[in-house]
Amino acid sequence: RARLGAEVLAICHTVLPQMVDGKLVYQGESPDEVALVSAAASVGFRFIRRDGDMCTVAVGATAAAEPPPGAHGMCPPGSKELTVKVLAVNQFNSSRKRMSVLVREEATGNY
């Protein structure tokens, strides 16, 4: 269950990754959202790329592993890519107090 929880945190958000001085940093609408994505990265689910409706996570990436310089959006050594297509997003709102994201894993077709 912990693995699934970390995977969900790495995928279900509106954060954007950026390379700053050779380090991957996250930019988001709220500091809470950035903190959750960073927490997922610290346990091996590093969000590395968003291309339109495609989202890529490096699974098994250690906290110290960084992609080679100039390789923004690439998986660090020793990790594998998990790519999902974002099919729908229900943004966070104060009445629901949650955000919902529907995704499909590209490799398996699982939702």
Side-chain angles (χ1 to χ4, degrees):
R1 289 185 179 205
R3 181 188 188 289
L4 181 59
E7 186 176 319
V8 167
L9 290 176
I11 294 171
C12 300
H13 56 77
T14 59
V15 169
L16 295 173
Q18 294 181 329
M19 290 300 281
V20 176
D21 296 327
K23 297 276 186 187
L24 182 66
V25 295
Y26 298 118
Q27 301 293 321
E29 292 180 19
S30 81
D32 292 341
E33 193 173 36
V34 171
L36 291 170
V37 173
S38 297
S42 73
V43 295
F45 289 83
R46 184 181 299 178
F47 172 60
I48 57 171
R49 182 173 56 247
R50 183 182 305 277
D51 294 319
D53 59 357
M54 302 303 285
C55 177
T56 304
V57 173
V59 178
T62 63
E66 289 289 337
H72 174 60
M74 292 181 61
C75 276
S79 62
K80 69 173 197 156
E81 280 193 9
L82 167 66
T83 302
V84 298
K85 181 173 183 157
V86 178
L87 302 173
V89 176
N90 289 332
Q91 294 293 339
F92 178 89
N93 68 46
S94 57
S95 62
R96 288 183 62 231
K97 297 187 179 12
R98 68 181 53 101
M99 172 185 182
S100 301
V101 180
L102 177 62
V103 298
R104 182 181 63 235
E105 187 177 344
E106 286 298 288
T108 64
N110 291 339
Y111 289 89

